[in-house]
């Protein structure tokens, strides 16, 4: 494994058994995350981005969900094979997560101090006084004014943006190697969104934390990610550096996503581009390219054969019949 790689996911498959059939939410996804980088995982709702990361954290409700195959190597060990007790040590200590709505992660009945101190004592094995000092330090780092006093507030006493800052402080308080940010700004006002993204980027470069940014917003990815993984119907369809993906998108789905982003240099009367059709139902997907019904470049082969992943260069992969290996 490359020394810079801190997480290597290979062939991850997570399925859900439902009354209507087997939902192949993640179906053979591979990617790696390097020390200190920001990796963007993009795609429409239902593309499998969140399930991919919940699988790595072993937070998939089972039943109905099940990790069917794959490995997630960290420090030479497959964390998908870890017991729940072992995973509790990894979550927070090595990998932390922040979600769209901080209120789903913060307990509304407990003061911020109680919640942060409990987490730090549990993972860092320090006494309460040291944990409080660390919590105040982290709140200060994320820009909470007067943190020694505000730490005694309840979550409802903070605004949405401040609550997300508290979540970031809590997530980073145990020095994790990886921060998974799942749509961290979707529930916030636009002005606050920019501040939170800037904060994540700034802290990641100061603390050396790798960030996995899960988002449907390509603007967020363009502004802050080093590399990008594009997902569709539970599969990886394109992977590359930020410059490659935005400068020369290969997969027709990536091209459509980029075209659908509003641009300031576009005439305001012009209609925004949208990709025709809907993402497919991932129950019983036929053996063809899942993007075929929506693709304006589809060929005969796309209707009957599932395209394999092709490596175009060291960093670049695309799953489309339009490309050959190394092209
Ligand atoms: Fe379009 Fe065919 Fe490529 Fe699928 S494999 S994205 S249908 S060209």
């Amino acid at each position: 494994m490359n020394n810079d790689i801190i997480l290597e996911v290979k062939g991850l498959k997570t399925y859900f058994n439902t009354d209507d059939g087997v939902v192949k939410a993640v179906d053979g996804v591979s990617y790696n995350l390097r020390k200190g980088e920001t990796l963007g995982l993009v795609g429409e709702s239902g593309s499998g981005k969140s399930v991919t990361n919940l699988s790595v954290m072993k937070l998939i409700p089972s039943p109905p969900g099940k990790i069917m195959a794959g490995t997630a190597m960290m420090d030479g060990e497959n964390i998908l094979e870890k017991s729940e007790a072992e995973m509790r040590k990894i979550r927070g200590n090595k990998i932390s997560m922040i979600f769209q709505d901080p209120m789903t992660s913060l307990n509304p009945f407990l003061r911020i101090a109680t919640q942060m101190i409990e987490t730090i004592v549990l993972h860092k094995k320090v006494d309460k006084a040291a944990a409080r000092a660390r919590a105040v330090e982290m709140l200060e780092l994320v820009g909470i004014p007067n943190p020694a006093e505000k730490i005694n507030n309840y979550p409802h006493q903070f605004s949405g943006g401040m609550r997300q800052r508290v979540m970031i402080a809590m997530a980073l308080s145990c020095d994790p190697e990886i921060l998974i940010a799942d749509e961290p700004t979707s529930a916030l006002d636009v002005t606050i969104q920019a501040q939170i993204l800037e904060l994540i980027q700034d802290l990641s470069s100061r603390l050396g934390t790798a960030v996995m940014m899960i988002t449907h917003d390509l603007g967020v990815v363009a502004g802050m990610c080093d590399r990008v993984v594009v997902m569709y119907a539970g599969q990886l369809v394109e992977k590359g550096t930020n410059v490659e993906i935005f400068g020369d998108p290969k997969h027709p789905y990536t091209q459509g996503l980029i075209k659908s982003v509003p641009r300031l240099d576009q005439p305001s009367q012009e209609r925004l581009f949208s990709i025709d059709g809907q993402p497919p139902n991932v129950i019983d997907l036929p053996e063809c390219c899942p993007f075929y019904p929506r693709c304006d470049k589809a060929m005969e082969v796309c209707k009957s054969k599932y395209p394999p992943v092709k490596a175009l260069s060291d960093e670049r992969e695309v799953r489309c019949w339009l490309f050959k290996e190394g092209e």
Side-chain angles (χ1 to χ4, degrees):
M1 200 155 89
N2 178 325
N3 280 343
D4 276 355
I5 295 176
I6 49 173
L7 174 70
E8 184 157 43
V9 175
K10 269 194 185 158
L12 180 68
K13 292 187 181 187
T14 305
Y15 296 174
F16 291 83
N17 278 312
T18 70
D19 291 343
D20 296 327
V22 177
V23 174
K24 296 183 177 177
V26 176
D27 202 15
V29 168
S30 303
Y31 63 89
N32 57 47
L33 188 59
R34 298 194 185 123
K35 204 170 184 230
E37 77 166 343
T38 300
L39 180 70
L41 194 53
V42 280
E44 290 162 291
S45 297
S47 58
K49 340 181 266 297
S50 295
V51 176
T52 298
N53 281 288
L54 289 173
S55 304
V56 170
M57 295 285 272
K58 289 195 76 178
L59 288 173
I60 295 292
S62 179
K66 191 169 181 203
I67 298 173
M68 305 298 291
T71 54
M73 302 301 291
M74 199 173 182
D75 297 331
E77 293 181 303
N78 180 9
I79 57 176
L80 299 183
E81 286 175 350
K82 298 276 178 196
S83 66
E84 181 49 32
E86 288 170 318
M87 278 313 292
R88 271 200 291 270
K89 287 185 199 149
I90 290 174
R91 292 186 210 119
N93 249 346
K94 292 191 168 193
I95 312 178
S96 265
M97 249 182 130
I98 51 171
F99 297 93
Q100 183 172 338
D101 181 1
M103 275 314 253
T104 56
S105 314
L106 291 169
N107 185 332
F109 299 107
L110 297 178
R111 295 179 196 276
I112 297 300
T114 314
Q115 303 186 51
M116 285 191 81
I117 291 169
E118 195 176 275
T119 308
I120 298 168
V121 167
L122 182 75
H123 289 292
K124 287 278 190 198
K125 308 280 179 259
V126 292
D127 64 22
K128 282 194 175 174
R132 174 177 276 270
R134 172 70 176 161
V136 170
E137 181 197 354
M138 288 309 295
L139 290 176
E140 187 163 25
L141 196 65
V142 299
I144 302 282
N146 200 0
E149 195 184 298
K150 291 278 170 56
I151 195 170
N152 296 315
N153 285 2
Y154 288 94
H156 74 269
Q157 292 174 283
F158 289 90
S159 66
M162 284 294 167
R163 275 199 292 266
Q164 196 57 293
R165 283 176 189 263
V166 170
M167 274 313 302
I168 295 169
M170 206 183 277
L172 296 177
S173 58
C174 299
D175 302 315
E177 288 170 53
I178 300 171
L179 174 70
I180 298 176
D182 192 347
E183 304 274 8
T185 56
S186 302
L188 303 175
D189 293 344
V190 181
T191 46
I192 308 295
Q193 284 182 6
Q195 291 174 14
I196 295 293
L197 293 173
E198 230 170 78
L199 174 69
I200 294 174
Q201 212 172 8
D202 175 50
L203 290 178
S204 135
S205 62
R206 276 205 274 169
L207 307 175
T209 317
V211 178
M212 183 80 180
M213 178 63 66
I214 305 172
T215 180
H216 64 277
D217 186 340
L218 277 182
V220 169
V221 176
M224 68 182 291
C225 295
D226 302 301
R227 292 187 303 136
V228 186
V229 172
V230 184
M231 284 188 72
Y232 187 77
Q235 293 154 4
L236 175 154
V237 294
E238 187 162 3
K239 184 161 80 176
T241 64
N242 188 317
V243 172
E244 287 168 339
I245 296 288
F246 288 95
D248 181 23
K250 299 285 190 196
H251 196 282
Y253 177 59
T254 316
Q255 292 171 354
L257 280 182
I258 292 174
K259 259 170 87 181
S260 59
V261 175
R263 294 175 57 129
L264 287 175
D265 57 358
Q266 227 168 13
S268 56
Q269 320 76 316
E270 211 166 273
R271 266 181 85 87
L272 263 182
F273 175 83
S274 67
I275 304 172
D276 284 340
Q278 297 293 326
N281 182 347
V282 284
I283 298 177
D284 298 329
L285 269 179
E287 273 297 304
C288 65
C289 170
F291 190 58
Y292 148 69
R294 306 173 76 186
C295 181
D296 55 7
K297 298 192 174 80
M299 305 167 288
E300 266 316 297
V301 63
C302 312
K303 295 184 203 169
S304 55
K305 278 192 177 166
Y306 180 66
V309 171
K310 288 167 195 159
L312 305 184
S313 67
D314 283 355
E315 292 289 349
R316 200 101 201 253
E317 285 179 3
V318 64
R319 189 190 282 277
C320 174
W321 285 116
L322 289 170
F323 301 94
K324 293 190 183 79
E325 206 86 28
E327 201 169 51

